Amino acid sequence: MRASVRAAIAASCGVVLLTGGLGSLASWRDSTDVPGETITSGTLRLAAFSCGAWTLTDTGSTFVPATDRLVPGEELTRTCTSTLTATGSHLQATLGASTPSAGTGALADELVYSVAWRVGAAVGQSAVTTADDGKTVTATLTVRFPFGTGVDNDANGAVAAALGAVTFTLTQTDD
């Protein structure tokens, strides 16, 4: 193909491109960003419990398990406290405690071990929301050594029981 024919084809293509088929070659364009954000999660936490001494329920006197001896008919109590942290939009949770166990040892089958708790002033409260943030959880542990003929008392004493731990659990629920 001759150079003059090639030049004529190239010139024709250039004219078509420049005119855009008789349209405009101008165009508009713009952009902008949506700003980023930092998102922070809430918190659901129960601090470690701090416990007072065991006391004899009827007298209120201190009972020291390492040196004092429990006899049938006595009951011991101990108060433990923790702080609840519950933050976040629409946070809901439940608070529960494991069933206390008199644990192991020859005295274990004689004891009745229980726990009661309150969140702030609400006794036995299990529903937790952000309104409970910063409140004190108070657990009262009770150990009772029943008196009576139905108790075998394991050869009249000198036996022990290692009390099992009571585990408190906070579990988030779906609102």
Side-chain angles (χ1 to χ4, degrees):
M1 191 183 289
R2 292 189 154 174
S4 61
V5 174
R6 280 190 218 147
I9 292 172
S12 298
C13 288
V15 169
V16 169
L17 288 174
L18 286 175
T19 61
L22 299 175
S24 169
L25 292 178
S27 67
W28 295 89
R29 185 171 188 269
D30 192 17
S31 68
T32 187
D33 293 333
V34 173
E37 294 287 333
T38 299
I39 297 175
T40 305
S41 70
T43 305
L44 184 61
R45 184 176 308 130
L46 194 58
F49 276 90
S50 173
C51 297
W54 286 100
T55 59
L56 287 164
T57 304
D58 59 347
T59 66
S61 61
T62 300
F63 181 88
V64 180
T67 56
D68 294 335
R69 301 295 174 248
L70 190 64
V71 298
E74 290 184 323
E75 180 179 272
L76 303 173
T77 58
R78 184 179 197 188
T79 301
C80 302
T81 59
S82 174
T83 302
L84 178 67
T85 303
T87 62
S89 301
H90 310 291
L91 176 68
Q92 294 182 358
T94 57
L95 174 64
S98 64
T99 302
S101 163
T104 59
L107 185 59
D109 64 341
E110 308 301 331
L111 301 178
V112 178
Y113 189 24
S114 63
V115 63
W117 72 88
R118 68 179 189 269
V119 176
V123 177
Q125 176 179 341
S126 60
V128 172
T129 67
T130 55
D132 298 309
D133 182 45
K135 288 187 178 176
T136 298
V137 175
T138 303
T140 303
L141 307 173
T142 304
V143 177
R144 190 168 50 87
F145 189 2
F147 181 86
T149 58
V151 181
D152 67 27
N153 292 323
D154 292 313
N156 293 321
V159 293
L163 299 177
V166 176
T167 302
F168 276 83
T169 305
L170 269 174
T171 305
Q172 182 184 358
T173 58
D174 188 13
D175 64 350

